[in-house]
Amino acid sequence: MPVIDVHTHMLSEAWLNDIRAHGAPKYGVKPTAAGQDSVWMSGAPFVTLFPEMFDYDLRVANMDKAGVDIAIVSLTCPSAYWGGEAVSTRVSREMNAHMAYQQGRFPDRIRFFATLPWQYPERAVEVLAEAVVQGAVGVFVSANIDGKSLTAPQFAPIWQAIDDLALPVLVHPTAPQGSAEMELHEYGLVPPIGFMFDTTLAVSRMILDGFIDRYPNLAIIAGHGGATLPYLAGRLDRCHEMIPACSEKIKDKPSRYLRRIYYDSVVYEKNALDLCIEVAGGPERVMYGSDYPHNIGDMAGCLARVNALDPAAAKLVKSGTAQKLFKL
C-alpha cells in the first residue's frame, strides 16, 4: 500500500517576493532575533522559512527517506489573503500553476490543493475552475480568512462551487481572531495554542451553524488531528443538550457531525491519534499527514505513529482513505 501525505506544504520564491512587495502593513518577510528568515504578521514571526519549502527535488528525496509515496501539497498561511483583489487573484493563479508544473515533473509523487483568493468570491470561483482543469484534487483554506469566519455569508458562492465539485477541503489554521488581544505573540504561542484554537473554532462553527448539512458533498479535513475537537466532543454534545443557542440550527449531536468530517494524523502522541480515530468513528475518516517542511513537521514520526496502529487501521490511514477520497 502506498503512503499518501495529505497535510504537507510547499511555497515558491515568487509567492515570498509578492509578500515582500504587497503584504504590508500586516505581513512582511525578515529575520527573527535568532536570525531565521520568517514571514511576519502584525509585528510577530509567523512562518519560519526553510530551503525544503521551495525545493521539490529535495522534497521527493526526503519522502523517499521517510517512506512516503505521494504528497498532496498545499500552500500555507497567509495563503493569498493580502494585497487586494488583483494581487490576491494573480498570486492564487500563479501558485496553482506552479504546483501543477511540479505535479507534471513528478506525476507519480505530487498532487496539490488549490489556492483561492477567498476574499473575492467571484474571482475565487473562477480560479477554482481553472485549478481543477490544471489537476487540483482539493482546496486549501485557512480556518479564518483575514479575520472572517468561514461560515460568513460572503463565502457561500465559493462553498457552493466546491460542493458542486465534491472536492475535499483542507481546513488549516492560521493566527486566530483576537490573537493580539490574547497576546499570542508571547512565547511563540500561535503554533502550539493559537492554531489549535483556530481550527477548533472554525469547525465548531461549521457544525453548529448547519454548514455541514448545507454542503453535503464537501469533505472537510480538520488539520492537525482535528486540533482539540476530539477532546471536546463530549463537551460540545453537553452544550448542545443544555444551551439553546448550541442547538438552534442542528438537531443531531455535534459528535455525530464529527464523524462526517475527516482528519489528518499530524499529532505528536500515539494516544492523541487513538482518540482522534475514536471520535472520527474509525480509521476510514483519518489520513496520514506530516506538516513537512515546517520546523515542527515530522514525516517519519507521524508515519511511525500510524504504523503503530492495528495493521488494518494503519492501511486505511496511510492510503486507503485518501485513495478513495481523492480518487487516486
Side-chain angles (χ1 to χ4, degrees):
M1 296 286 287
V3 176
I4 302 171
D5 189 343
V6 306
H7 183 162
T8 183
H9 305 290
M10 292 301 284
L11 315 182
S12 76
E13 291 290 351
W15 176 81
L16 198 61
N17 288 334
D18 271 316
I19 292 180
R20 290 188 177 103
H22 305 288
K26 189 172 184 178
Y27 300 107
V29 182
K30 63 179 181 179
T32 65
Q36 293 178 299
D37 282 343
S38 299
V39 177
W40 288 59
M41 184 189 78
S42 301
F46 182 54
V47 177
T48 306
L49 300 170
F50 297 97
E52 292 87 345
M53 294 176 166
F54 305 90
D55 189 334
Y56 278 82
D57 293 280
L58 181 57
R59 154 178 282 286
V60 171
N62 286 333
M63 288 165 61
D64 290 340
K65 290 177 184 177
V68 175
D69 298 287
I70 299 172
I72 307 177
V73 299
S74 56
L75 189 54
T76 193
C77 304
S79 192
Y81 312 147
W82 40 269
E85 182 173 351
V87 169
S88 180
T89 302
R90 175 180 58 77
V91 168
S92 297
R93 285 184 165 128
E94 289 178 354
M95 181 53 64
N96 293 333
H98 178 67
M99 289 185 171
Y101 168 74
Q102 298 296 342
Q103 177 176 279
R105 290 184 65 220
F106 301 100
D108 298 326
R109 311 300 298 276
I110 301 296
R111 297 291 184 272
F112 71 98
F113 287 96
T115 298
L116 303 181
W118 278 82
Q119 319 94 296
Y120 311 103
E122 187 174 347
R123 300 287 82 78
V125 171
E126 293 172 357
V127 172
L128 173 64
E130 296 164 3
V132 170
V133 172
Q134 291 171 305
V137 296
V139 177
F140 173 93
V141 68
S142 295
N144 73 81
I145 307 295
D146 198 26
K148 298 283 185 66
S149 297
L150 296 183
T151 53
Q154 74 184 78
F155 303 128
I158 310 173
W159 287 117
Q160 188 60 62
I162 298 171
D163 188 67
D164 290 344
L165 294 166
L167 288 172
V169 179
L170 176 62
V171 177
H172 186 281
T174 182
Q177 296 114 320
S179 292
E181 289 78 4
M182 290 187 284
E183 299 182 333
L184 293 182
H185 62 282
E186 291 187 332
Y187 315 113
L189 285 172
V190 169
I193 305 300
F195 281 179
M196 301 302 97
F197 175 72
D198 197 36
T199 300
T200 299
L201 180 60
V203 177
S204 296
R205 283 184 184 277
M206 287 177 166
I207 291 171
L208 298 177
D209 182 66
F211 174 97
I212 294 174
D213 290 323
R214 288 199 300 277
Y215 303 108
N217 299 316
L218 282 181
I220 295 294
I221 305 166
H224 304 104
T228 65
L229 288 165
Y231 191 79
L232 296 176
R235 186 177 182 88
L236 284 168
D237 280 356
R238 180 60 174 168
C239 290
H240 177 265
E241 178 184 357
M242 302 302 296
I243 300 175
C246 293
S247 58
E248 181 180 350
K249 294 187 177 181
I250 59 169
K251 293 182 179 180
D252 281 346
K253 294 180 178 180
S255 60
R256 293 181 182 172
Y257 287 91
L258 291 175
R259 295 188 171 207
R260 291 171 57 181
I261 66 174
Y262 292 84
Y263 306 82
D264 64 37
S265 69
V266 183
V267 298
Y268 300 97
E269 296 287 346
K270 171 63 163 47
N271 289 343
L273 181 58
D274 291 336
L275 178 60
C276 178
I277 291 172
E278 179 182 349
V279 170
E284 62 275 8
R285 289 280 170 175
V286 182
M287 296 172 285
Y288 168 72
S290 69
D291 219 357
Y292 174 95
H294 284 304
N295 53 354
I296 61 171
D298 191 7
M299 258 202 280
C302 287
L303 186 54
R305 284 180 281 277
V306 172
N307 283 330
L309 297 169
D310 171 86
K315 286 178 67 175
L316 285 170
V317 176
K318 285 192 288 188
S319 62
T321 299
Q323 284 178 316
K324 182 177 179 180
L325 183 61
F326 292 97
K327 300 179 175 61
L328 298 177

